[in-house]
Amino acid sequence: MSTVIEQALQARLVASSPQRESVAATLRYDRRHPFAVQMAFPAPATLEGIDVSWEFSRELLAAGVDEPAGLGDVRVRPFGYDRTVVEFHAPEGVAMVHIRTSEVRRFLERARDLVPEGREHEFLDLDQDLAQLMRDAC
């Protein structure tokens, strides 16, 4: 069984202009990092023209589908019938994208099949993480 789940999706970039631009994005979940999800945007979708990836908690994404969640750099909230808004706050500004809630729910279900909620700690490799930390410290 694979330890990584990736799901491509179309996101709508919300801007100050009335027209919303569709951008490609990918949600990613790796069993080796069981508490986190990543949302990645390819270079053409970013202002800097480079690939950008945000990592945040799986729990935040799951909570934000049903009610506003998050106080930090990433905030998630429902919007309308089948949309979820993900806000990314950085010193350069705020990026806000709309994604289909059904796609987020499908992604979260696949992640739960891989690592059930509440059992994330069973998938941590603390020895490997400590060894990596020690290598990085040298």
Side-chain angles (χ1 to χ4, degrees), residues 65-84:
V65 168
D66 296 315
E67 62 186 17
L71 300 172
D73 293 343
V74 179
R75 301 171 192 179
V76 184
R77 62 183 163 81
F79 182 81
Y81 169 68
D82 188 38
R83 296 283 178 199
T84 297

Side-chain angles (χ1 to χ4, degrees), residues 1-5 30-31 110-116 123:
M1 176 189 276
S2 176
T3 65
V4 177
I5 294 170
D30 186 336
R31 182 168 62 180
R110 292 173 62 209
R112 283 185 201 106
D113 289 345
L114 197 58
V115 177
F123 294 85

